[in-house]
Amino acid sequence: MLREEVSKKTPLGIEVAGIMKRGELVPSDVVTALVRRRSRSYPGRRILLDGFPRSLENAQDFTASCGQPELALHLYCDDTILLERILKRGALAKHDSADMKTTSLNGNGHDVRTDDNIETALRRMRTYHKYHRPTMEWLREHHVPVVNLDCSMTPENVWAQLLAIGRLMRPAAGLARPAAVGGSIF
């Protein structure tokens, strides 16, 4: 959602672009307000928030404004593998779209992110490790079920597991099963 705001050059996107480029966390009240605004587009539906909460403050702010989450997916990956994937994504995007400067999909379907470089990736990983443990402890203390998923395997295997989790969640939400799997999962 934040990257979309940046690519649209909204006032919020302009405000957070530098923060994101430095690999820092966007202020919690800003992220939570954006999540709340976006979730209103899906009344009565479950939503999957990718990469959220990133901090204890995110979790507390979200709960205060939107209610307690019913489930948390904890996707973990070895730092070396994660760094290799970030740099590979950056290299693919740079190769395919050398002249693109913003976050978007290039002509070959690769996510173009100006922050996919070694310096920013290392800062993002340090930030993640700084906030990860307190956030996970908060989720457990508040009895939010946490589903752990090892993302060190191939991206295809990770995606298959995410789809399986989505199928398992569907009956609990009372949603009809789609004829074909594809598109976004909310």
Side-chain angles (χ1 to χ4, degrees):
M1 289 185 284
L2 288 169
R3 290 185 191 287
E4 183 179 325
E5 295 290 321
V6 170
S7 70
K8 290 180 177 178
K9 297 184 177 158
T10 66
L12 174 62
I14 293 166
E15 177 184 343
V16 302
I19 296 169
M20 293 170 60
K21 189 171 185 174
R22 290 188 303 273
E24 299 170 0
L25 290 182
V26 173
S28 185
D29 59 330
V30 172
V31 176
T32 304
L34 182 59
V35 167
R36 186 171 186 196
R37 185 175 71 202
R38 181 65 65 90
S39 67
R40 288 183 184 144
S41 300
Y42 303 97
R45 294 187 63 193
R46 288 180 167 157
I47 57 171
L48 176 62
L49 303 172
D50 181 16
F52 188 86
R54 294 206 176 189
S55 69
L56 180 57
E57 187 179 10
N58 281 167
Q60 293 167 335
D61 288 350
F62 178 83
T63 300
S65 67
C66 302
Q68 183 163 314
E70 69 182 280
L71 178 74
L73 293 176
H74 176 229
L75 282 58
Y76 61 93
C77 186
D78 176 78
D79 284 353
T80 303
I81 294 171
L82 187 59
L83 188 57
E84 288 171 357
R85 288 179 182 169
I86 290 169
L87 296 177
K88 180 180 178 185
R89 179 176 64 194
L92 284 171
K94 185 181 279 187
H95 176 264
D96 293 341
S97 299
D99 60 337
M100 295 187 82
K101 303 288 185 229
T102 60
T103 302
S104 64
L105 288 180
N106 66 19
N108 292 328
H110 293 124
D111 190 18
V112 177
R113 293 172 53 166
T114 58
D115 58 349
D116 280 345
N117 59 68
I118 188 76
E119 295 84 14
T120 306
L122 289 172
R123 279 194 300 272
R124 286 195 322 234
M125 290 171 71
R126 279 193 296 273
T127 300
Y128 167 81
H129 288 295
K130 177 180 178 181
Y131 293 102
H132 175 257
R133 184 180 315 271
T135 305
M136 294 303 294
E137 288 173 3
W138 185 91
L139 289 167
R140 287 184 186 99
E141 289 169 4
H142 287 82
H143 308 289
V144 176
V146 177
V147 175
N148 292 298
L149 179 59
D150 180 3
C151 295
S152 297
M153 58 193 111
T154 68
E156 294 79 17
N157 286 342
V158 173
W159 182 244
Q161 289 190 51
L162 286 169
L163 289 175
I165 291 168
R167 285 190 298 273
L168 289 172
M169 293 298 294
R170 228 174 258 292
L175 300 173
R177 186 176 182 149
V181 177
S184 299
I185 299 175
F186 289 138

